[in-house]
C-alpha cells in the first residue's frame, strides 16, 4: 500500500531544506524508500512510500518528527 503524506511549512526555503534532508534520510524501521517533491506550491512537500499495512507505521511517525524539526506539519 502506498502512503502519501503532505507537509506544509512557513516558506519555500524551509520546505526545500526538508526536501533536501529527505534525499539522505532513511527510516529506522528498515529499508523504506521515500519519494518526495514539492506539491501545491513551494510551501508543501509530498512524501510517498510503501507501507505493508501491518502494525504501527513508524515511518509516518518519523517523518512527522522530521517535519516538526523544520516547523512543518502534516496537512
Amino acid at each position: 500500500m502506498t502512503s502519501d503524506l503532505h507537509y506544509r511549512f512557513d516558506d519555500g526555503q524551509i520546505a526545500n531544506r526538508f526536501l533536501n534532508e529527505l534525499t539522505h534520510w532513511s527510516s529506522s524501521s528498515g529499508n523504506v524508500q521515500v519519494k518526495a517533491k514539492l506539491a501545491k506550491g513551494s510551501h508543501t512537500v509530498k512524501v510517498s512510500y510503501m507501507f505493508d499495512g501491518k502494525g504501527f507505521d513508524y515511518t509516518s511517525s518519523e517523518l512527522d518528527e522530521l517535519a516538526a524539526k523544520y516547523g512543518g506539519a502534516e496537512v
Side-chain angles (χ1 to χ4, degrees):
M1 164 173 80
T2 302
S3 291
D4 293 323
L5 304 172
H6 291 81
Y7 294 97
R8 180 152 178 84
F9 299 89
D10 290 337
D11 63 46
Q13 184 177 16
I14 296 171
N16 276 298
R17 287 180 184 160
F18 174 71
L19 185 61
N20 184 50
E21 183 155 347
L22 286 177
T23 62
H24 308 287
W25 182 83
S26 62
S27 173
S28 68
S29 60
N31 190 15
V32 177
Q33 300 277 337
V34 297
K35 294 181 181 180
K37 65 180 183 177
L38 291 176
K40 299 180 184 177
S42 64
H43 292 67
T44 305
V45 176
K46 177 184 177 186
V47 181
S48 301
Y49 63 95
M50 294 299 292
F51 175 59
D52 62 11
K54 299 176 184 175
F56 182 75
D57 187 359
Y58 289 98
T59 302
S60 174
S61 177
E62 291 173 10
L63 288 168
D64 288 349
E65 289 175 9
L66 182 61
K69 174 180 154 183
Y70 289 94
E74 187 176 353
V75 290

